[in-house]
Amino acid sequence: MFFCLPYLALDALCHKIPALKKYQVQPKSRPTLAMVLHCLAHTVYSHLVFIFPLSVAYWYWRPVDLPLVAPKLHRFILDIVACLLLFDFQYFAWHLLHHKIPWLYKNFHKMHHKYTSTFVLATQYSSAWEMLSLGFFANVSPILLGCHPMTEMAVFIVHIYLSVEDHCGYDLPWSMHNLVPFGLCGGPNHHDLHHEKFVSNYAPYFTHWDKLFNTIAQKKDQKKP
């Protein structure tokens, strides 16, 4: 919610401040109060019923034991990038299967596509299976790569921020795809087009898997990197 609040403020202000329109991915679309409350209620429910109990079980099964020494800065950064790249592959494969196999799409992933224009609280508007599957990938990646506990915590925070940014509906100058060169990252435009068209841009953060499998698409008014 901390990451969501600035974008909710933009949604509230964009019709009053015309200058904000140029940053909207879909300027003609604006979430209604009913949509915001609906997604918020679903997110709170999912976290109370599924995420919180599983988090407590996870902490019990694998309690945090912080070493006396923090990771070196270069290792800290490299491990975060490695976790994001591994998750990106896991999500791409999971996502592609859930779009190509009708039964999986209908029963598990369709819910997340209720809104064809992304807005920030749609980030976690998804089925329990989808939320728990992606949560599993996010948790297992640092374990597989043997990351320091401090790095694991940082990875979770980065995941949350990037997921929120993907669904925020605003292409801002500090969005990750505008900071990382050569079109390596997708960003809000990239993911919004997936929600709009359904048949492209399956990777969450980066673009290399979509390029490799020829599933990448760009908005007509979006400049190629």
Side-chain angles (χ1 to χ4, degrees), residues 57-123:
Y58 180 75
W59 295 331
Y60 178 80
W61 169 67
R62 192 170 178 268
V64 176
D65 182 19
L66 288 174
L68 293 176
V69 181
K72 298 292 185 181
L73 180 60
H74 71 279
R75 180 63 187 271
F76 178 72
I77 294 172
L78 287 175
D79 281 350
I80 290 175
V81 173
C83 287
L84 293 179
L85 287 169
L86 178 56
F87 176 85
D88 200 72
F89 167 72
Q90 294 166 329
Y91 185 99
F92 175 82
W94 183 98
H95 200 184
L96 189 64
L97 283 175
H98 280 70
H99 273 269
K100 297 301 182 183
I101 301 175
W103 184 82
L104 288 176
Y105 179 81
K106 179 181 178 181
N107 289 281
F108 300 115
H109 188 52
K110 184 178 180 180
M111 181 178 181
H112 187 60
H113 279 278
K114 176 180 175 66
Y115 301 105
T116 55
S117 175
T118 53
F119 68 100
V120 70
L121 285 180
T123 303

Side-chain angles (χ1 to χ4, degrees), residues 202-216:
Y202 298 107
Y205 306 144
F206 302 99
T207 57
H208 55 277
W209 290 112
D210 282 309
K211 290 175 180 175
L212 183 63
F213 283 85
N214 197 30
T215 55
I216 196 163

